[in-house]
Amino acid sequence: MKKEEWYEKSKTCKERNTDFSTVSGVPIKVLYTPDDIADMEHDRDLGYPGEFPYVRGVYTNMYRGRLWTMRQFSGFGTPKDTNRRYKYLLGHGQTGLSVAFDFPTLYGRDSDDSFAHGEVGKCGVAIDSLRDMEVLFDGIPLDRISTSMTINPPAAMLLAMYIVVGEKQNIPAQILTGTIQNDMLKEYQAQKTWIYPPEPSMRIISDILEYCSEHVPKWNTISISGYHIREAGSTALQELAFTLKNGFTYVEHGIKAGLSVDKFAPRLSFFFNSHLDFFEEIAKYRAARRIWARMMREKYRAQDPRSYLMRFHTQTAGCTLTAQQPENNIIRTAYQALSAVLGGTQSLHTNSMDETYALPTEKAAKIALRTQQLLAYESGVAHTIDPLGGSYYIESLTNELEQGAYKYFEKIDKLGGVVRAIDKGFFQKEISRSAYSYQKALEQKTKYHVGVNIFEEDEKAEIEILKISPQVEKVQRSQLKKLKRDRNGKRVREKLLMLRKAASDGENLMPRILDCVREYATLGEMCNTLKEEFGVYHEPIIF
Amino acid sequence: MISKIRVLVGKPGLDGHDRGAKVVAAALRDAGMEVIYTGLHQTCESIVEAAVQEDVHVIGLSILSGAHMTIFPRILKLLRASKAKDIMVIGGGIIPADDMKKLQRIGVHKLFGPGTPTSEIVDWIKDNAVKPKRPTTRKKKSVRKKVKKQVRKKIKKKSKG
Amino acid sequence: MKGRQRETVKGIRALLAGEKRTIARIISAVESEDSEEILEHIFPHSGSAYHVGITGPPGAGKSTLVSAIAKRLLGKRKKVGIIAVDPSSPFSGGALLGDRVRMTDLALDENVFIRSMASRGSLGGLAQATKDVALVLDAAGMDYILIETIGVGQVELDIAQVCDTTVVVLVPESGDSIQAMKAGLLEIADIMVVNKGDREGCERLLTELKFAFEMREQKVGWDYPILKTTATEDEGVEELVVAIESHASYLSKTGRLEDERKKKLLLRIHELIEKRIRFHLKENIMPERDIIKLLDKMYERKLNPYRIAGQIARRIIRLADRRFV
Ligand SMILES: Nc1nc2c(ncn2[C@@H]2O[C@H](COP(=O)(O)OP(=O)(O)O)[C@@H](O)[C@H]2O)c(=O)[nH]1
Ligand SMILES: [Mg+2]
């Protein structure tokens, strides 16, 4: 049958829907054929795994060499509680740690801060000083695991604490592996965990890049994160475009700070969301690899191929979990995990079914981990590289996303770059608009969410949830009080003063922060010291 | 001039997840309400003070950090202290069922679970936000009617001719 | 009737005492109803607050600047009322009022009262009731009332009819100065501010403005200050406050304050009369449906609109002679 004939014929078939589009609203055709990728050249646009432009994967043999790292994000209560959970997860075959901090810690506030009231240990573990960090990693040898820390404005302080815990375990910083998120741009755009204004934040980041390239060379210094942009309601394209543009902005800053691009770019990694739309997500990861490689080579003139690699962590989309029929979340998460794996992720967190309510219980956390293990060991999807490569649909989506991203880059450049666009509320507006139109689509039922706007059930499903006792806050506060009594207060003050001085002199902050940490200065003390110099950020126009 | 329903949408606590708060704020605006958005990381004190000064009918709080059992009671207490008990307090976020019951018992008017359509929130506010009447100075109705009738009659007569 | 009056009097007393809940309540009444009775009671207690208007394009930093100015004034033990106007949606009539976000540092100071207003269809940069709301704050004992306009970039000239001092804020972003001139913003400015002094292009804009002001006809004895501020860093704000104060003393020394305020009262009278008559016309005298009935005939050219309007107007005037004056 001829192509035209088939199209004629297909038009006579009645369709069950008037609108077929991705979850981001991109229209989908009834069929994809070679015509859709006619412009694509295999060697130029796809290439081979581990080779430019890395669309099919960043490593030569991908999962046949090594599976992705199963890295479940967790943390709650006191450092002792979390330490116990880490040992449980490592005991069940998890291969990396990922620390979730509580809100006060994320904002650089101590547990006895008035703002911390009611939030200590609630959504993550509370860390006030080196003492807490010692307890958190007690009995966990830092040379045998890699640790990811989701921490942004106080990233330098937490990294310093980790380094010092290493010192105490006799492990040199040179061999420590792990990641700090340290991606402030997306905080201003989406996640909104900030302390200082963008300029000083960017300076702290440059300091970290510089320090680590010398002293902690295996550490991933920024995890450029689209995850939160997506959670805040963006589309897949916005997630892709904003995240990469943020990445390039860090590259430009590093270069401006006098670093050579190949010195720090290989240590940049990415963090993406895996959302509902199976194919769109896979295309997103593939497009991201190609854009990063092309721009790093062509625009930023990186020479070292490691600078071209867009390595990324993925987390399944928390915002797609439903409080209704929570067991469905297991299945939802499994599909999302599959698209991350087919998209070539380097590490993965799968959400637990109960995470809309609270932090996961042990059982839910285990099921989530098992979901990944099933994919890795049973399903066979990791046997070959990029199995969807060459699919007319996937390739065409990949191209479309890449082109869309370039358009966004141009728009952002016209606004004067990322920092300027943040100031103008550009990202915030783009994201809230997408979030609002998705909500409208759900309410008009042009998009579905099972259990929420279709196949709803009446009875309230009750599931077991993990509750954080208010005792945690009390314990944490009294520990802190004790710490402040026991340490050498005079030396703490001295070191804080030197930190302040380094901040105003433009000297690299990392060595000063390490000094403070060693004297058990608290996180809050260090952050407040910098606040005096840098001021605090106020949110710009919002809607 | 018309009376408008005024709602304060607030994000107390430390979490920065304002997606829900903003979506609700936009939906309330699109339903014709005036929405005062206070921004992130607000203390309970500043939320209540803003609610009083802005004379809102409803305070809507979105809390996703798990601090709801600290924040709601504090808001209610502060409202009582400001003699503003009539300002209704509603909320959204991830709140387990037994906490929900407790909160409603102490005076939170309504809690919306995750996945609630915004239209449900709009409808609830429209149904429940009524302010006590304020003194007005309109002329007596009967007088107005009389004048109206007179004029209308005259216009009619003329246009027929 | 008696009870209601007692209520009102009680309310007024609380208002004069600066009771915030009452102030807020009365503002709502003034914003949404015909509340001339209340305003009549309030008027005698007003007249001591100094009104400062802040206008300029969106994102120029008006709210941030208002907050910074207010902080300074509070430091001088002044009471400050703030009115921040944002646009209503023309479709739904709803509004998102976000100016408070910039003012959170102030929110808990007991000498501040901040009120967000939606424009509710008014086009001049303020809401219709802004003047009355300012009157309420004035009577509530504020020393200063700072009014922030919508800032949609269109002509926002209303502000000058409400305020003693009008501050126009611009930023060194492209085309602002030209835009401002077109919009007649320079005409209403008593003080010009270039905000975001930390940004490039600031000096150029300052020069452009100085040039533009030299071309402008000078008011006798008032040298238009053109200031540079960085609102977020609190830089240049003290100078701005000083400039506002010296404009105030210039006005009162030259007797202009009284003249201008009398002019404003005259204008207010006109407005109120118009408002009443318009309301009355619409509500009582010209029910639309009566006129709509005549449309067919006008369309067929059997009646003409000039004639009908004339007749109606004559009758209204005759009625008015008897009833209203
Ligand atoms: N860099 C810089 N940003 C400022 C300055 N003043 C205000 N802003 C920022 O500009 C944005 C808009 O300010 P806002 O006060 O809301 O402006 P408005 O729309 O005129 O009321 C906010 O992000 C402010 O933090 C300034 O002097 N310098
Ligand atoms: Mg403003």
Side-chain angles (χ1 to χ4, degrees), chain A residues 85-294:
Chain A
R85 175 64 69 90
Y86 287 172
K87 287 179 175 161
Y88 173 88
L89 287 167
L90 292 170
H92 278 85
Q94 176 167 310
T95 48
L97 290 178
S98 174
V99 188
F101 298 102
D102 70 356
F103 278 112
T105 307
L106 292 173
Y107 281 93
R109 296 184 187 246
D110 290 337
S111 298
D112 59 0
D113 190 299
S114 66
F115 244 103
H117 186 46
E119 315 236 23
V120 176
K122 278 276 161 63
C123 289
V125 60
I127 300 290
D128 293 325
S129 74
L130 175 61
R131 176 73 27 92
D132 291 333
M133 206 68 162
E134 290 164 1
V135 176
L136 186 67
F137 290 101
D138 181 49
I140 300 173
L142 300 193
D143 53 347
R144 260 180 277 148
I145 51 146
S146 73
T147 302
S148 163
M149 293 191 273
T150 298
I151 189 81
N152 293 282
M157 289 82 182
L158 271 300
L159 173 60
M161 288 181 195
Y162 193 81
I163 293 172
V164 177
V165 170
E167 283 171 7
K168 301 208 162 182
Q169 292 187 2
N170 279 322
I171 295 158
Q174 294 285 339
I175 66 163
L176 290 178
T177 59
T179 307
I180 41 176
Q181 196 160 76
N182 196 26
D183 171 12
M184 281 310 297
L185 293 173
K186 66 93 176 50
E187 294 296 338
Y188 300 114
Q189 294 161 346
Q191 172 83 348
K192 326 253 162 135
T193 315
W194 52 59
I195 303 177
Y196 322 110
E199 284 81 8
S201 292
M202 293 301 281
R203 175 217 159 159
I204 297 173
I205 292 169
S206 295
D207 283 359
I208 295 173
L209 292 182
E210 189 188 359
Y211 183 86
C212 288
S213 70
E214 196 69 32
H215 300 96
V216 206
K218 293 168 108 179
W219 197 267
N220 293 317
T221 44
I222 312 178
S223 166
I224 305 155
S225 306
Y227 182 81
H228 317 84
I229 294 173
R230 195 64 182 279
E231 288 289 299
S234 83
T235 62
L237 172 61
Q238 288 166 334
E239 180 194 356
L240 173 73
F242 298 171
T243 308
L244 288 173
K245 189 68 187 167
N246 289 348
F248 298 130
T249 306
Y250 292 122
V251 169
E252 285 162 18
H253 260 260
I255 294 172
K256 240 208 239 146
L259 300 170
S260 102
V261 62
D262 285 323
K263 195 135 188 231
F264 66 89
R267 294 325 309 168
L268 300 179
S269 63
F270 287 80
F271 173 21
F272 285 110
N273 196 298
S274 187
H275 209 274
L276 292 170
D277 201 294
F278 187 73
F279 293 114
E280 187 176 43
E281 294 302 283
I282 296 170
K284 178 184 78 187
Y285 309 123
R286 300 174 87 252
R289 276 194 293 269
R290 186 156 67 203
I291 297 170
W292 184 254
R294 283 185 168 158

Side-chain angles (χ1 to χ4, degrees), chain A residues 403-419:
Chain A
Q403 292 313 315
Y406 291 136
K407 280 203 194 109
Y408 264 123
F409 295 168
E410 241 173 71
K411 216 184 249 178
I412 296 163
D413 286 337
K414 273 215 187 98
L415 290 171
V418 170
V419 173

Side-chain angles (χ1 to χ4, degrees), chain C residues 14-174:
Chain C
L15 171 79
L16 299 178
E19 217 265 314
K20 291 198 169 167
R21 178 104 171 117
T22 311
I23 301 176
R25 278 293 168 86
I26 292 181
I27 289 178
S28 297
V30 159
E31 224 190 338
S32 45
E33 291 154 16
D34 278 327
S35 36
E36 267 128 38
E37 184 185 330
I38 301 174
L39 290 167
E40 275 177 41
H41 279 93
I42 290 173
F43 186 79
H45 304 284
S46 69
S48 55
Y50 194 77
H51 293 53
V52 181
I54 316 282
T55 187
K62 296 183 294 299
S63 301
T64 317
L65 209 51
V66 164
S67 177
I69 295 171
K71 244 180 268 173
R72 298 268 157 174
L73 294 172
L74 288 170
K76 302 183 184 197
R77 316 194 74 80
K78 301 289 183 199
K79 289 189 167 181
V80 184
I82 297 174
I83 303 172
V85 189
D86 272 327
S88 294
S89 152
F91 306 107
S92 70
L96 276 171
L97 311 173
D99 290 316
R100 273 195 104 89
V101 175
R102 300 269 156 277
M103 306 178 188
T104 44
D105 296 357
L106 298 174
L108 289 175
D109 194 304
E110 62 172 312
N111 290 321
V112 175
F113 191 100
I114 307 171
R115 183 65 175 233
S116 315
M117 290 184 79
S119 63
R120 299 193 182 175
S122 170
L123 291 176
L126 297 177
Q128 251 192 9
T130 304
K131 282 178 197 177
D132 294 336
V133 172
L135 192 78
V136 175
L137 289 176
D138 188 343
M142 302 296 159
D143 298 303
Y144 280 88
I145 296 171
L146 309 179
I147 304 177
E148 178 189 340
T149 68
I150 297 178
V152 279
Q154 59 188 28
V155 213
E156 297 200 337
L157 308 182
D158 282 5
I159 190 79
Q161 296 171 4
V162 183
C163 290
D164 301 309
T165 299
T166 301
V167 179
V168 173
V169 185
L170 299 179
V171 273
E173 250 119 70
S174 55

Side-chain angles (χ1 to χ4, degrees), chain A residues 103-104 107 109 115-119 122-123 190-192 194 230-233 319 323-324 356-358 428 432 435-436 438-440 443 452 462 465 467 539 542-543, chain B residues 12-19 22-23 25-27 29-30 37 39-43 64-67 70-71 94-99 102 114-119:
Chain A
F103 278 112
Y107 281 93
R109 296 184 187 246
F115 244 103
H117 186 46
E119 315 236 23
K122 278 276 161 63
C123 289
Q191 172 83 348
K192 326 253 162 135
W194 52 59
R230 195 64 182 279
E231 288 289 299
C319 63
Q324 298 85 344
T356 57
Y357 284 103
Q428 300 90 314
S432 353
Y436 191 38
Y438 183 60
Q439 178 65 29
K440 274 198 199 149
E443 291 182 19
V452 176
E462 287 288 337
I465 58 170
K467 280 223 170 164
E539 189 181 17
I542 10 170
F543 289 98
Chain B
L14 283 174
D15 78 280
H17 303 127
D18 55 359
R19 174 179 181 168
K22 281 187 177 175
V23 164
R29 172 202 56 197
D30 289 351
Y37 185 75
L40 291 163
H41 315 147
Q42 295 304 298
T43 61
L64 295 158
S65 69
T70 316
I71 290 169
I94 307 151
I95 299 170
D98 49 340
D99 284 354
K102 268 183 229 157
T116 309
T118 54
S119 54

